[in-house]
Amino acid sequence: MLGVIDLPTYLAGLVLIVLLPGPNSLYVLSVAARRGVRAGYTAAAGVWCGDTVLMTLSAAGVASLLQANAVLFGIVKYAGAGYLTWLAVGMLRAAWGMWRTRRERVAEAVESEAAAEERPYRRAFVISLFNPKAILFFVAFFVQFVDPGYAYPALSFVVLGAFAQLASFLYLTALIFSGTRLAAAFRRRKRLSAGATTAAGALFLGFAVKLTLASAA
């Protein structure tokens, strides 16, 4: 089908990959839990747009450039790691404020102020975009299911990318509606909210370290 081979195997691998936790899905879940369905989908739109850009770059051969140019790969890698670290520090600061604050009104004021300043789409888009390993992954994974004899391999990438976006849409939708259910519990239990925010910040720091240690090969 349009140069795509062994589609069932691709779909099975895609499901496993999408289910792996990452900074994109974690951020969408966090936004949905704090601000509701609409904000969750706004963040998810940022993820989908960022992934679309990466898939397009992959099909255009940018992944080969990143693999061949260690300096360029390093720039993108450290920029992405720096941004993830900045987000993690912000989450940990917010969590620290929640732990120190025992009064309901003060905690809600801090949460409202943070929500007003946050731009879910932009943050999710940048998180998704500053991930050179994702570009390399798209090429390494997609190319296994493209018929080398097909005259229009870019079209094959489009088909594979469309399936990937569909899987991402279904998964993030599940996270968004799960997040709204968690929101009620977070509002009732400030310690739970603070603990979850601390865990999210620590995970983002872990993602930043992992990205820093990544190599182009």
Side-chain angles (χ1 to χ4, degrees):
M1 182 183 69
L2 300 177
V4 176
I5 58 177
D6 202 3
L7 184 59
T9 301
Y10 169 75
L11 294 177
L14 183 62
V15 169
L16 294 176
I17 292 164
V18 168
L19 291 178
L20 291 175
N24 294 341
S25 57
L26 179 63
Y27 181 68
V28 171
L29 177 61
S30 173
V31 170
R34 289 182 286 111
R35 300 180 58 183
V37 171
R38 184 174 180 178
Y41 272 112
T42 300
V47 172
W48 296 325
C49 289
D51 284 348
T52 298
V53 171
L54 293 183
M55 291 177 190
T56 302
L57 293 175
S58 300
V62 171
S64 299
L65 176 62
L66 288 178
Q67 284 181 312
N69 192 324
V71 174
L72 178 59
F73 181 86
I75 291 173
V76 177
K77 178 177 71 172
Y78 288 114
Y83 187 74
L84 290 177
T85 301
W86 179 75
L87 288 179
V89 171
M91 290 180 179
L92 292 174
R93 287 181 60 188
W96 177 245
M98 293 177 191
W99 284 116
R100 293 184 60 185
T101 302
R102 295 298 181 90
R103 296 178 181 178
E104 186 84 8
R105 293 179 181 177
V106 177
E108 290 180 354
V110 172
E111 186 174 338
S112 299
E113 181 180 355
E117 295 178 353
E118 187 177 22
R119 293 178 174 83
Y121 175 85
R122 187 176 68 180
R123 284 196 176 187
F125 180 77
V126 174
I127 290 172
S128 179
L129 200 59
F130 275 116
N131 190 356
K133 294 296 285 187
I135 303 178
L136 301 178
F137 162 75
F138 284 135
V139 169
F141 185 60
F142 283 10
V143 74
Q144 301 175 53
F145 303 96
V146 175
D147 183 356
Y150 187 64
Y152 307 101
L155 183 58
S156 303
F157 270 82
V158 171
V159 174
L160 295 173
F163 279 114
Q165 291 289 51
L166 176 60
S168 176
F169 172 81
L170 295 175
Y171 178 56
L172 292 183
T173 293
L175 290 183
I176 287 168
F177 283 96
S178 298
T180 55
R181 293 189 181 93
L182 292 173
F186 287 157
R187 293 191 187 100
R188 290 193 302 267
R189 301 177 178 85
K190 293 302 176 181
R191 288 184 178 180
L192 176 61
S193 180
T197 304
T198 301
L203 282 173
F204 267 75
L205 278 178
F207 291 135
V209 172
K210 184 178 179 180
L211 182 56
T212 302
L213 298 177
S215 63

